[in-house]
Amino acid sequence: MVGTARNGRVRHAFSVVNGGQDLGPSSAPASNAGSECDGIEFTREDVEALLNERPRRKDRFNLKEKCDTLTEYIKRLKLCIKWFQELEGSYLFEREKLQNSVEVSERQCNEMGILFKNKEEELNSIIAELRKSFASVQEKFTKEELDKMTAMESLTREREARLEIERSQNSLSDELGRVQRELSSANQKITSLNDMYKRLQDYIASLQQYNSKLHMDLSTVEEDLKRVEKEKASMVENLSMLRGQLSVSRQSQDDAIKQRDSLVNEVACLRMELQQVRDDRDRHQLQVQTLTAEYTKYKESTEKSCFDLDNLTSKKDELEERCLSQSNEIRTLKDQLLTAERKLQMSDLSTLETRVEYEGQKKHISELQTRLADAEFKLIDGEMLRKKLHNTILELKGNIRVFCRVRPLLADDGPSTEGKVISYPTAMDALGRGIDLVQTGQKHSFTFDKVFMPDVSQEDVFEDISQLVQSALDGYKVCIFAYGQTGSGKTYTMMGDPGDPEEKGLIPRSLEQIFKTRQSLQPQGWKYEMQVSMLEIYNETIRDLLSPNRSSSDMLRTENGIGGKQYTIKHDANGNTHVSDLTILDVRTAKEVSFLLERAAHSRSVGKTQMNEQSSRSHFVFTLRISGVNESTEQQVQGVLNLIDLAGSERLSKSGSTGDRLKETQAINKSLSSLSDVIFSLAKKEDHVPFRNSKLTYLLQPCLGGDSKTLMVVNISPEPSSAGESLCSLRFASRVNACDIGIPRRQTNMRLPDSRLSYG
């Protein structure tokens, strides 16, 4: 918490209030906290000096002096922690105020944003409606204009057609007059020709009469000639005279014949002329009939065109009226559009003002968020320092640390009518550390080092124990074991889900961290060697899970208590534990350990009960021995990491175990009962602690009664039907948390003769 903060800003050290020195802005809440702790504040140097302080004793066997020194040191640590808690409270109060102000500002911004959006949507809808109406009116107007143009064009065409018709009518009238005149002249000609024809007929008749007369005369002459010939004899004297008369008559006859031929020719010519005149008359009559028909047709089309013209004129008048009304409507809509645009401009101005105000609120929120981030950073620093001080106190006190984890409700749990039986207090002193359980209407409260709610991930759980795992590389003995009833999630916490990388448990994550840290320490000159062993305690019998000769027949003989290899547990003077004939393998990578874990998981004893489909029927113990040497400083460390998955406690009435499952349940409950007896003895500080009552407690003796850093993860089921077992687990965990097992000791500067068989 003390030191360089984020964003490159330098954190000011805490000063002493009695000195009258002012504090910087970043340490403003500390002055109130210091005033509640007798006016004392702590700087970074004070805290580091307090943490690094080691008791100096003249007489190492003077326990009273040692006790007084530790008591005084613990009082100062408590005072420092109390000061940091008060500082944390003030930071939390300021953080809550900032969060409230941020929430209020965000609500205001959200309301203004919603108001702005509503107003903008309303204006957009109005503009869209106006635009739609304007577009429809404009479309109607365009359509009407097109109709009007079409009507005008048709009217123009009709007018042109009418003028053309009139011109055609006039030309036809002129032609008709001309034809009528020609007809009248032809009629006159025909009349004159008829008169001439009549005269010619009369003349022909007269010629015919004359010819007939001539014929008659000829006949008379012939008769006279005959009579003369008869009288020739008598008229010889008159022959010359008669010949003369005959020649004259013949000459006159020839003249008459010639005259008749000329008249016949003239009549033929007149007949041809008459035929031609008749043909011309028929042709002119046909032309007159054709022109009369065309005139009638043009007259009818003219009447129709006049009717259409009248209709178009009425249409034109109607369209002009509609156009005038639509022009008025468009003018009105334009006025409305101008009004809407003015409103839009006003709304834009108000929107701009709102946006400016929104930007100001946003800037204010960002400032508040920055202050909140600073406060959270200070809070995180304070929490880290509090944890460090708390761990230091726990190490000095020698207590076993206890974490509590509540698994989420599963689909197989079924519906419950009793409601929730587990809750979490929100008070500052119990936040994240307290848990309440209700059974038969009575509330039981517990406080541990950490409480994990059901929604906490595997990664978050491991983050809180990662420093403890790191201690194994630093040369400490570390033991982490999971405790709880069957089906509470112990194996999931320790092993996780092998098929999902996000659901890995504490054991795989611890190995990954150790190998990753080993890799990062190589440039500093550190070289580590690691050895792994895995065993299970099944029905008070130790089984080697990594034994290469392990088979199903060996397991069967061990279950029946016959044959099988016997393993013994021994403790040496240095607090190390040895298991005879146990397989210990050297490992170099996390993959090798993962393979061995998978192999051990397949060899471990599991069974089905009414409480759990895959219930662990044995206690699983994973041990990693770490031996490190720094070539540059020649420093040597010996660390041990024990990760233990205990079998679940269960009641026979709920598990329904029979046969082999019944024997397993009895053996599990017996070993857990022995563990409870050991915890009771340690809590009461009795002289005799019954570690030898079971293989489990005897194996865990260095973790429970030695110099090891020990953590118990108690797993709780949230089912109301399991409230009784959960209460027993929480009570047992509370007793474990109160046990004082001594200050953990770091193993450095020594090399064990045989480091392969120790559990620490």
Side-chain angles (χ1 to χ4, degrees):
M1 180 171 181
V2 182
T4 303
R6 295 178 183 174
N7 301 327
R9 294 190 292 111
V10 178
R11 299 284 307 278
H12 297 282
F14 298 110
S15 60
V16 180
V17 175
N18 295 335
Q21 191 173 358
D22 294 333
L23 294 175
S26 61
S27 59
S31 60
N32 295 332
S35 62
E36 295 178 5
C37 294
D38 300 330
I40 296 176
E41 295 186 356
F42 294 88
T43 64
R44 178 181 178 179
E45 290 78 9
D46 296 337
V47 175
E48 289 181 352
L50 187 62
L51 290 174
N52 295 326
E53 182 179 346
R54 291 291 178 265
R56 298 178 181 177
R57 299 182 299 274
K58 295 180 181 179
D59 188 2
R60 59 184 298 179
F61 298 103
N62 192 344
L63 296 178
K64 184 177 182 182
E65 181 185 356
K66 178 181 178 182
C67 184
D68 293 339
T69 304
L70 288 176
T71 304
E72 182 63 27
Y73 185 58
I74 290 171
K75 282 181 180 179
R76 282 187 288 159
L77 285 173
K78 284 183 177 179
L79 184 62
C80 183
I81 291 171
K82 183 179 179 183
W83 182 80
F84 270 108
Q85 286 177 346
E86 293 174 354
L87 182 64
E88 181 182 5
S90 63
Y91 279 145
L92 287 174
F93 179 71
E94 184 181 358
R95 176 187 178 185
E96 188 175 356
K97 281 204 308 182
L98 290 173
Q99 283 180 342
N100 291 333
S101 61
V102 167
E103 289 174 358
V104 170
S105 299
E106 285 180 349
R107 281 199 298 271
Q108 290 177 354
C109 284
N110 291 332
E111 290 173 358
M112 293 186 72
I114 292 169
L115 184 62
F116 170 69
K117 283 184 179 178
N118 292 334
K119 200 168 183 182
E120 189 175 4
E121 288 175 358
E122 184 179 355
L123 290 171
N124 287 334
S125 61
I126 293 171
I127 291 167
E129 289 176 0
L130 288 172
R131 283 177 179 168
K132 284 180 182 177
S133 60
F134 178 71
S136 61
V137 169
Q138 196 169 12
E139 186 178 354
K140 287 181 182 178
F141 179 71
T142 307
K143 189 176 179 182
E144 295 296 337
E145 284 288 335
L146 290 173
D147 293 340
K148 183 179 177 183
M149 292 294 292
T150 307
M152 292 295 289
E153 288 176 359
S154 62
L155 182 61
T156 306
R157 286 196 300 271
E158 290 296 332
R159 282 179 179 174
E160 290 176 354
R162 186 176 179 183
L163 291 173
E164 187 68 28
I165 290 168
E166 287 178 355
R167 285 195 295 271
S168 300
Q169 189 177 0
N170 293 330
S171 62
L172 287 173
S173 298
D174 296 338
E175 190 175 355
L176 182 61
R178 184 174 57 79
V179 169
Q180 285 177 350
R181 285 193 298 273
E182 289 179 356
L183 183 61
S184 62
S185 62
N187 287 329
Q188 290 175 1
K189 222 174 187 182
I190 290 168
T191 304
S192 62
L193 287 172
N194 287 330
D195 294 339
M196 187 181 288
Y197 179 69
K198 285 179 181 178
R199 287 196 304 271
L200 287 171
Q201 282 181 346
D202 292 339
Y203 181 67
I204 290 167
S206 65
L207 286 174
Q208 285 175 353
Q209 288 175 2
Y210 180 70
N211 192 16
S212 64
K213 183 179 179 182
L214 287 174
H215 279 292
M216 287 174 67
D217 289 340
L218 181 60
S219 62
T220 302
V221 169
E222 284 178 352
E223 286 176 358
D224 287 339
L225 182 58
K226 285 176 181 179
R227 186 175 57 82
V228 168
E229 283 179 353
K230 286 176 181 179
E231 293 176 354
K232 187 177 179 181
S234 59
M235 292 180 163
V236 172
E237 301 112 5
N238 294 326
L239 182 60
S240 57
M241 185 182 65
L242 287 172
R243 283 179 180 179
Q245 288 180 358
L246 180 62
S247 60
V248 172
S249 296
R250 283 178 179 178
Q251 188 177 1
S252 61
Q253 186 178 2
D254 291 333
D255 292 336
I257 289 170
K258 287 179 181 180
Q259 190 175 3
R260 187 192 66 178
D261 292 334
S262 64
L263 287 173
V264 169
N265 291 330
E266 189 176 355
V267 167
C269 290
L270 288 173
R271 282 180 178 174
M272 288 176 65
E273 288 181 2
L274 181 61
Q275 186 65 35
Q276 188 177 1
V277 168
R278 284 177 178 175
D279 293 338
D280 290 339
R281 186 194 64 183
D282 294 336
R283 185 170 55 79
H284 285 101
Q285 283 180 352
L286 288 172
Q287 287 181 355
V288 168
Q289 289 176 359
T290 306
L291 290 171
T292 305
E294 288 181 358
Y295 175 73
T296 307
K297 184 178 177 182
Y298 277 121
K299 191 175 181 180
E300 290 177 356
S301 64
T302 304
E303 290 176 356
K304 187 177 179 181
S305 299
C306 290
F307 181 72
D308 292 339
L309 183 62
D310 294 336
N311 289 335
L312 288 172
T313 306
S314 60
K315 266 189 179 181
K316 185 197 75 167
D317 296 336
E318 186 180 351
L319 286 172
E320 285 178 352
E321 290 178 0
R322 287 176 64 185
C323 184
L324 184 61
S325 63
Q326 285 178 358
S327 298
N328 295 330
E329 188 176 355
I330 287 170
R331 196 177 297 108
T332 306
L333 287 173
K334 284 182 178 178
D335 295 336
Q336 290 180 359
L337 185 61
L338 289 173
T339 307
E341 285 178 352
R342 284 196 293 271
K343 287 183 179 178
L344 183 61
Q345 289 176 356
M346 293 175 63
S347 66
D348 287 339
L349 291 174
S350 62
T351 302
L352 186 61
E353 294 175 359
T354 308
R355 193 181 295 277
V356 171
E357 188 175 356
Y358 174 73
E359 292 295 334
Q361 292 289 340
K362 194 174 180 182
K363 187 177 180 181
H364 182 59
I365 288 172
S366 63
E367 291 176 357
L368 290 175
Q369 286 176 345
T370 304
R371 291 174 61 188
L372 181 63
D374 292 339
E376 287 179 349
F377 181 69
K378 293 177 184 177
L379 188 64
I380 291 170
D381 284 347
E383 181 67 17
M384 289 175 63
L385 187 58
R386 186 195 67 77
K387 285 182 179 179
K388 189 174 181 181
L389 293 171
H390 181 68
N391 290 335
T392 304
I393 290 175
L394 288 177
E395 289 176 3
L396 291 171
K397 289 171 65 178
N399 288 13
I400 299 176
R401 275 172 274 191
V402 176
F403 288 174
C404 176
R405 187 179 190 185
V406 183
R407 74 160 172 82
L409 282 169
L410 305 176
D412 299 336
D413 292 339
S416 174
T417 58
E418 301 181 24
K420 291 184 178 180
V421 297
I422 293 176
S423 59
Y424 309 94
T426 57
M428 285 300 302
D429 56 344
L431 186 63
R433 299 174 59 240
I435 183 171
D436 297 333
L437 186 142
V438 178
Q439 187 192 26
T440 62
Q442 187 176 359
K443 181 178 179 181
H444 304 273
S445 299
F446 300 93
T447 302
F448 301 107
D449 296 287
K450 185 71 176 179
V451 173
F452 298 107
M453 297 184 185
D455 57 349
V456 175
S457 64
Q458 296 276 65
E459 184 178 359
D460 294 334
V461 174
F462 178 71
E463 186 178 349
D464 280 278
I465 71 162
S466 59
Q467 292 300 321
L468 192 63
V469 174
Q470 180 67 30
S471 299
L473 280 171
D474 297 336
Y476 288 93
K477 296 177 184 177
V478 178
C479 178
I480 302 173
F481 63 95
Y483 178 87
Q485 70 179 98
T486 297
S488 60
K490 300 180 301 301
T491 303
Y492 175 76
T493 298
M494 299 303 292
M495 299 296 295
D497 186 0
D500 190 352
E502 298 295 328
E503 300 296 325
K504 291 184 291 189
L506 299 185
I507 295 177
R509 291 179 186 272
S510 300
L511 296 172
E512 287 180 1
Q513 176 179 327
I514 285 175
F515 282 101
K516 189 181 294 184
T517 307
R518 184 186 75 168
Q519 192 74 18
S520 64
L521 291 176
Q522 283 183 357
Q524 301 178 17
W526 283 99
K527 289 186 178 180
Y528 289 93
E529 293 181 358
M530 301 186 186
Q531 298 170 334
V532 167
S533 65
M534 301 181 205
L535 61 85
E536 68 173 352
I537 301 176
Y538 176 79
N539 287 350
E540 285 299 307
T541 303
I542 294 176
R543 289 180 175 178
D544 185 3
L545 296 179
L546 298 181
S547 175
N549 300 323
R550 182 175 175 81
S551 62
S552 57
S553 59
D554 294 337
M555 293 171 60
L556 186 62
R557 286 197 300 271
T558 305
E559 289 174 6
N560 295 330
I562 57 175
K565 187 182 292 186
Q566 298 295 321
Y567 299 92
T568 57
I569 303 170
K570 295 181 181 179
H571 303 294
D572 61 15
N574 295 322
N576 298 316
T577 302
H578 304 275
V579 179
S580 62
D581 297 327
L582 187 66
T583 302
I584 301 176
L585 301 176
D586 294 324
V587 291
R588 293 177 179 82
T589 62
K591 283 188 176 180
E592 294 181 11
V593 185
S594 299
F595 173 75
L596 295 176
L597 277 172
E598 186 177 355
R599 174 178 159 189
H602 287 302
S603 301
R604 189 179 178 188
S605 302
V606 294
K608 179 180 178 182
T609 66
Q610 293 181 4
M611 297 179 66
N612 194 357
E613 188 74 21
Q614 291 284 333
S615 176
S616 302
R617 313 308 293 167
S618 65
H619 306 299
F620 172 71
V621 180
F622 170 88
T623 302
L624 179 68
R625 286 301 308 262
I626 303 170
S627 176
V629 178
N630 192 318
E631 295 178 348
S632 58
T633 61
E634 296 184 356
Q635 184 181 6
Q636 299 177 357
V637 293
Q638 297 284 339
V640 181
L641 177 63
N642 293 316
L643 301 171
I644 303 169
D645 178 19
L646 298 178
S649 60
E650 57 186 49
R651 296 186 181 182
L652 293 175
S653 58
K654 292 187 67 176
S655 65
S657 300
T658 57
D660 292 338
R661 299 287 91 82
L662 177 61
K663 294 179 182 179
E664 293 166 357
T665 301
Q666 291 172 345
I668 291 168
N669 289 339
K670 179 183 177 183
S671 61
L672 294 178
S673 177
S674 300
L675 180 62
S676 179
D677 294 339
V678 168
I679 295 300
F680 272 117
S681 299
L682 290 173
K684 293 180 181 179
K685 299 188 181 300
E686 294 180 354
D687 295 334
H688 173 69
V689 180
F691 286 111
R692 292 180 177 269
N693 285 0
S694 74
K695 294 280 181 66
L696 175 65
T697 54
Y698 193 48
L699 188 67
L700 295 179
Q701 180 175 351
C703 304
L704 300 175
D707 52 1
S708 173
K709 289 186 177 183
T710 305
L711 168 68
M712 183 179 85
V713 181
V714 57
N715 291 267
I716 302 299
S717 172
E719 290 182 274
S721 59
S722 302
E725 286 293 325
S726 299
L727 181 60
C728 293
S729 298
L730 291 172
R731 284 173 174 168
F732 176 71
S734 183
R735 295 190 192 99
V736 171
N737 202 197
C739 289
D740 183 1
I741 61 174
I743 301 173
R745 180 170 54 86
R746 186 182 184 192
Q747 297 182 358
T748 59
N749 295 326
M750 67 177 183
R751 189 185 298 272
L752 296 176
D754 184 8
S755 60
R756 297 175 60 85
L757 303 176
S758 176
Y759 276 79

